[in-house]
Amino acid sequence: MDIAWRPLEYDDLPALHAFLLEVAAADGQDRVDTLGELQSGFRDPWSDPALDARVAFTADGALAAFARCFAHPDPQHEAVVWLWFDVRPALRGRGLEDAALDWLEARAAELAQRAPAGLERLLRCGMPDTVTHKINLVQARGYAPIRHFYRMRRDLRQPIPDLRLPDGLTLRTFAPELSPALHAAHNEAFSDHWGFEAETPEDWELFYVTAENFRPDLTLLALDGGQIAAYSINRVYAEDNARTGDKAAQIGQLGTRRAWRKRGLASALLCESMRRFREAGFETATLGVDSENLTGALAIYERLGFTVDKRFITFGKAVGLAAGAALLPAA
């Protein structure tokens, strides 16, 4: 098979978007990065596309495979390199997956070597539990399942509990002047979550407050005086909705700062978010949750009517340090 690998370029993104749509259709997945998201994330602060991403093309110019790795620029807890790869469905099983992973693992070893001394160096990749071809591939390379996540759904046409914030707290929708305080509150609220590294200001700007899926009009903050006690950062993936016929809005990040926990703030914000979703014409609320979340989030969501829709597995293994990145074959 005549295949040429090279670094990802900005002009490849329309072809990459079409490739990802084809992969999602074959694998039964409904969440796909839009072209706009690929463009805004091209120069991800965690990943230099010239060094950390590769694409493979067939002789007739069709995109055959994609690989990219991501590493936090200033890790504090673990030196994790995340791997993202896929192969066009019609070309699977012909060695492209192994070629992509060979390169990713070697590049990840280079990135891991740059991390601060004393941090554990790890490779991780996440995938739906239904993509058995990828699961078998990574397990054969020594990756083990280390965490499970759920995507949950809730029918907004069913009654929503009338839970409200406790007395003394006020409800506000997001406003730009609240962004720095919300950034700080989010980093505090998620600091004890598995695998979390603080969002940098650049991350916050790119993936939160300027992201095309971010809905400031639906994002809610619970204020105690001038302090953010809890929040629900809410999102709408309009292109996915249009493609699938779904009418869904997402509870993107729901967090409560430690001093305000165990007072029902998360449940109140979740119910208010659902009410506002319904008023805006949405029929379904979705959210993601770590199945082992220590704050009891899964039980809260189940009590409020959410059920598991899809399951995802994070696989991991220790980095095998290497002298340099493997070269992908030119043909």
Side-chain angles (χ1 to χ4, degrees), residues 231-268:
Y231 59 89
S232 183
I233 298 172
N234 295 333
R235 304 172 183 272
V236 174
Y237 294 93
E239 190 172 291
D240 291 337
N241 283 349
R243 187 177 62 257
T244 63
D246 207 357
K247 296 180 179 178
Q250 185 188 70
I251 312 292
Q253 287 78 30
L254 180 65
T256 304
R257 295 172 64 192
R258 288 189 187 90
W260 287 271
R261 289 178 182 170
K262 307 299 183 183
R263 296 174 59 187
L265 275 64
S267 296

Side-chain angles (χ1 to χ4, degrees), residues 76-91:
Q76 302 298 308
H77 305 293
E78 300 171 312
V80 177
V81 184
W82 290 91
L83 312 183
W84 180 19
F85 69 97
D86 227 312
V87 172
R88 185 176 294 277
L91 299 177

Side-chain angles (χ1 to χ4, degrees), residues 10-131:
Y10 187 85
D11 289 345
D12 296 326
L13 296 181
L16 178 59
H17 180 237
F19 168 92
L20 294 173
L21 287 170
E22 183 178 336
V23 166
D27 293 342
Q29 302 306 310
D30 51 17
R31 174 75 191 103
V32 180
D33 284 349
T34 67
L35 178 57
E37 288 170 331
L38 292 173
Q39 290 170 334
S40 64
F42 178 69
R43 299 203 177 279
D44 188 307
W46 291 34
S47 177
D48 180 343
L51 300 175
D52 303 327
R54 293 292 183 269
V55 281
F57 288 88
T58 61
D60 60 2
L63 203 161
F66 165 74
R68 189 166 186 178
C69 55
F70 302 81
H72 194 286
D74 185 26
Q76 302 298 308
H77 305 293
E78 300 171 312
V80 177
V81 184
W82 290 91
L83 312 183
W84 180 19
F85 69 97
D86 227 312
V87 172
R88 185 176 294 277
L91 299 177
R92 289 173 178 169
R94 304 187 189 185
L96 290 173
E97 295 93 341
D98 284 316
L101 274 170
D102 286 345
W103 178 80
L104 280 170
E105 291 188 338
R107 177 58 184 157
E110 289 189 332
L111 292 172
Q113 285 173 328
R114 302 174 187 176
L119 297 185
E120 188 175 7
R121 287 152 167 77
L122 304 164
L123 299 179
R124 287 182 184 153
C125 55
M127 59 195 70
D129 69 351
T130 54
V131 290

